[in-house]
PDB file of all heavy atoms in Angstrom:
ATOM      1  N   ASP A1155     -62.555 106.093 137.983  1.00  0.00           N
ATOM      2  CA  ASP A1155     -61.281 106.554 138.525  1.00  0.00           C
ATOM      3  C   ASP A1155     -60.152 105.559 138.312  1.00  0.00           C
ATOM      4  O   ASP A1155     -59.063 105.750 138.831  1.00  0.00           O
ATOM      5  CB  ASP A1155     -61.418 106.889 140.011  1.00  0.00           C
ATOM      6  CG  ASP A1155     -61.868 105.684 140.847  1.00  0.00           C
ATOM      7  OD1 ASP A1155     -62.123 104.625 140.252  1.00  0.00           O
ATOM      8  OD2 ASP A1155     -61.951 105.826 142.072  1.00  0.00           O
ATOM      9  N   ASP A1156     -60.385 104.463 137.566  1.00  0.00           N
ATOM     10  CA  ASP A1156     -59.296 103.556 137.234  1.00  0.00           C
ATOM     11  C   ASP A1156     -58.244 104.337 136.463  1.00  0.00           C
ATOM     12  O   ASP A1156     -58.555 104.994 135.472  1.00  0.00           O
ATOM     13  CB  ASP A1156     -59.788 102.388 136.362  1.00  0.00           C
ATOM     14  CG  ASP A1156     -60.479 101.318 137.186  1.00  0.00           C
ATOM     15  OD1 ASP A1156     -60.545 101.485 138.412  1.00  0.00           O
ATOM     16  OD2 ASP A1156     -60.954 100.342 136.604  1.00  0.00           O
ATOM     17  N   SER A1157     -56.987 104.245 136.886  1.00  0.00           N
ATOM     18  CA  SER A1157     -55.952 105.101 136.294  1.00  0.00           C
ATOM     19  C   SER A1157     -55.774 104.867 134.802  1.00  0.00           C
ATOM     20  O   SER A1157     -55.516 105.800 134.045  1.00  0.00           O
ATOM     21  CB  SER A1157     -54.619 104.876 137.019  1.00  0.00           C
ATOM     22  OG  SER A1157     -54.207 103.534 136.905  1.00  0.00           O
ATOM     23  N   PHE A1158     -55.910 103.612 134.362  1.00  0.00           N
ATOM     24  CA  PHE A1158     -55.653 103.344 132.958  1.00  0.00           C
ATOM     25  C   PHE A1158     -56.751 103.875 132.034  1.00  0.00           C
ATOM     26  O   PHE A1158     -56.587 103.911 130.821  1.00  0.00           O
ATOM     27  CB  PHE A1158     -55.438 101.845 132.713  1.00  0.00           C
ATOM     28  CG  PHE A1158     -56.691 101.047 132.503  1.00  0.00           C
ATOM     29  CD1 PHE A1158     -57.215 100.860 131.235  1.00  0.00           C
ATOM     30  CD2 PHE A1158     -57.325 100.440 133.574  1.00  0.00           C
ATOM     31  CE1 PHE A1158     -58.357 100.101 131.050  1.00  0.00           C
ATOM     32  CE2 PHE A1158     -58.456  99.684 133.387  1.00  0.00           C
ATOM     33  CZ  PHE A1158     -58.980  99.516 132.130  1.00  0.00           C
ATOM     34  N   LEU A1159     -57.876 104.313 132.613  1.00  0.00           N
ATOM     35  CA  LEU A1159     -58.955 104.861 131.797  1.00  0.00           C
ATOM     36  C   LEU A1159     -58.791 106.355 131.527  1.00  0.00           C
ATOM     37  O   LEU A1159     -59.579 106.932 130.802  1.00  0.00           O
ATOM     38  CB  LEU A1159     -60.311 104.627 132.478  1.00  0.00           C
ATOM     39  CG  LEU A1159     -60.712 103.170 132.640  1.00  0.00           C
ATOM     40  CD1 LEU A1159     -62.036 103.073 133.379  1.00  0.00           C
ATOM     41  CD2 LEU A1159     -60.794 102.485 131.298  1.00  0.00           C
ATOM     42  N   GLN A1160     -57.761 106.973 132.125  1.00  0.00           N
ATOM     43  CA  GLN A1160     -57.544 108.395 131.871  1.00  0.00           C
ATOM     44  C   GLN A1160     -57.335 108.604 130.375  1.00  0.00           C
ATOM     45  O   GLN A1160     -56.515 107.970 129.745  1.00  0.00           O
ATOM     46  CB  GLN A1160     -56.306 108.885 132.638  1.00  0.00           C
ATOM     47  CG  GLN A1160     -56.461 108.818 134.130  1.00  0.00           C
ATOM     48  CD  GLN A1160     -57.581 109.717 134.637  1.00  0.00           C
ATOM     49  OE1 GLN A1160     -57.764 110.805 134.119  1.00  0.00           O
ATOM     50  NE2 GLN A1160     -58.310 109.262 135.632  1.00  0.00           N
ATOM     51  N   GLY A1161     -58.103 109.515 129.801  1.00  0.00           N
ATOM     52  CA  GLY A1161     -57.954 109.812 128.384  1.00  0.00           C
ATOM     53  C   GLY A1161     -58.681 108.858 127.468  1.00  0.00           C
ATOM     54  O   GLY A1161     -58.580 108.964 126.258  1.00  0.00           O
ATOM     55  N   THR A1162     -59.431 107.885 128.020  1.00  0.00           N
ATOM     56  CA  THR A1162     -60.157 106.954 127.157  1.00  0.00           C
ATOM     57  C   THR A1162     -61.585 107.407 126.967  1.00  0.00           C
ATOM     58  O   THR A1162     -61.893 108.581 127.004  1.00  0.00           O
ATOM     59  CB  THR A1162     -60.125 105.523 127.728  1.00  0.00           C
ATOM     60  OG1 THR A1162     -60.794 105.509 128.994  1.00  0.00           O
ATOM     61  CG2 THR A1162     -58.705 105.037 127.921  1.00  0.00           C
ATOM     62  N   ILE A1163     -62.506 106.472 126.757  1.00  0.00           N
ATOM     63  CA  ILE A1163     -63.856 106.793 126.361  1.00  0.00           C
ATOM     64  C   ILE A1163     -64.648 107.614 127.358  1.00  0.00           C
ATOM     65  O   ILE A1163     -65.528 108.323 126.961  1.00  0.00           O
ATOM     66  CB  ILE A1163     -64.606 105.519 126.036  1.00  0.00           C
ATOM     67  CG1 ILE A1163     -65.693 105.282 126.810  1.00  0.00           C
ATOM     68  CG2 ILE A1163     -63.945 104.391 126.117  1.00  0.00           C
ATOM     69  CD1 ILE A1163     -66.487 104.340 126.004  1.00  0.00           C
ATOM     70  N   TYR A1164     -64.263 107.555 128.632  1.00  0.00           N
ATOM     71  CA  TYR A1164     -64.973 108.396 129.590  1.00  0.00           C
ATOM     72  C   TYR A1164     -64.786 109.868 129.251  1.00  0.00           C
ATOM     73  O   TYR A1164     -65.707 110.665 129.363  1.00  0.00           O
ATOM     74  CB  TYR A1164     -64.489 108.121 131.013  1.00  0.00           C
ATOM     75  CG  TYR A1164     -65.003 106.806 131.547  1.00  0.00           C
ATOM     76  CD1 TYR A1164     -64.137 105.779 131.871  1.00  0.00           C
ATOM     77  CD2 TYR A1164     -66.368 106.593 131.717  1.00  0.00           C
ATOM     78  CE1 TYR A1164     -64.608 104.565 132.346  1.00  0.00           C
ATOM     79  CE2 TYR A1164     -66.845 105.380 132.196  1.00  0.00           C
ATOM     80  CZ  TYR A1164     -65.965 104.375 132.516  1.00  0.00           C
ATOM     81  OH  TYR A1164     -66.433 103.170 132.980  1.00  0.00           O
ATOM     82  N   ASP A1165     -63.587 110.254 128.847  1.00  0.00           N
ATOM     83  CA  ASP A1165     -63.339 111.638 128.477  1.00  0.00           C
ATOM     84  C   ASP A1165     -64.136 112.017 127.226  1.00  0.00           C
ATOM     85  O   ASP A1165     -64.646 113.123 127.116  1.00  0.00           O
ATOM     86  CB  ASP A1165     -61.850 111.859 128.229  1.00  0.00           C
ATOM     87  CG  ASP A1165     -61.049 111.725 129.508  1.00  0.00           C
ATOM     88  OD1 ASP A1165     -61.419 112.368 130.494  1.00  0.00           O
ATOM     89  OD2 ASP A1165     -60.090 110.969 129.521  1.00  0.00           O
ATOM     90  N   LEU A1166     -64.221 111.073 126.288  1.00  0.00           N
ATOM     91  CA  LEU A1166     -64.990 111.333 125.079  1.00  0.00           C
ATOM     92  C   LEU A1166     -66.459 111.533 125.417  1.00  0.00           C
ATOM     93  O   LEU A1166     -67.136 112.407 124.874  1.00  0.00           O
ATOM     94  CB  LEU A1166     -64.834 110.172 124.080  1.00  0.00           C
ATOM     95  CG  LEU A1166     -63.409 109.881 123.619  1.00  0.00           C
ATOM     96  CD1 LEU A1166     -63.417 108.731 122.623  1.00  0.00           C
ATOM     97  CD2 LEU A1166     -62.787 111.105 122.998  1.00  0.00           C
ATOM     98  N   TYR A1167     -66.964 110.710 126.330  1.00  0.00           N
ATOM     99  CA  TYR A1167     -68.348 110.858 126.752  1.00  0.00           C
ATOM    100  C   TYR A1167     -68.574 112.207 127.436  1.00  0.00           C
ATOM    101  O   TYR A1167     -69.577 112.870 127.228  1.00  0.00           O
ATOM    102  CB  TYR A1167     -68.753 109.718 127.696  1.00  0.00           C
ATOM    103  CG  TYR A1167     -69.356 108.555 126.973  1.00  0.00           C
ATOM    104  CD1 TYR A1167     -68.562 107.490 126.567  1.00  0.00           C
ATOM    105  CD2 TYR A1167     -70.708 108.522 126.677  1.00  0.00           C
ATOM    106  CE1 TYR A1167     -69.107 106.416 125.897  1.00  0.00           C
ATOM    107  CE2 TYR A1167     -71.265 107.446 126.008  1.00  0.00           C
ATOM    108  CZ  TYR A1167     -70.459 106.397 125.615  1.00  0.00           C
ATOM    109  OH  TYR A1167     -70.999 105.343 124.944  1.00  0.00           O
ATOM    110  N   ARG A1168     -67.633 112.584 128.278  1.00  0.00           N
ATOM    111  CA  ARG A1168     -67.785 113.850 128.988  1.00  0.00           C
ATOM    112  C   ARG A1168     -67.840 115.021 128.011  1.00  0.00           C
ATOM    113  O   ARG A1168     -68.543 116.000 128.213  1.00  0.00           O
ATOM    114  CB  ARG A1168     -66.630 114.042 129.977  1.00  0.00           C
ATOM    115  CG  ARG A1168     -66.824 113.300 131.294  1.00  0.00           C
ATOM    116  CD  ARG A1168     -65.881 113.835 132.345  1.00  0.00           C
ATOM    117  NE  ARG A1168     -64.499 113.475 132.062  1.00  0.00           N
ATOM    118  CZ  ARG A1168     -63.917 112.360 132.510  1.00  0.00           C
ATOM    119  NH1 ARG A1168     -64.616 111.506 133.233  1.00  0.00           N
ATOM    120  NH2 ARG A1168     -62.671 112.092 132.238  1.00  0.00           N
TER     121      ARG A1168
END
Side-chain angles (χ1 to χ4, degrees):
D1155 60 357
D1156 281 359
S1157 60
F1158 85 90
L1159 296 177
Q1160 295 297 322
T1162 63
I1163 119 159
Y1164 286 117
D1165 293 309
L1166 301 181
Y1167 268 93
R1168 278 196 290 270

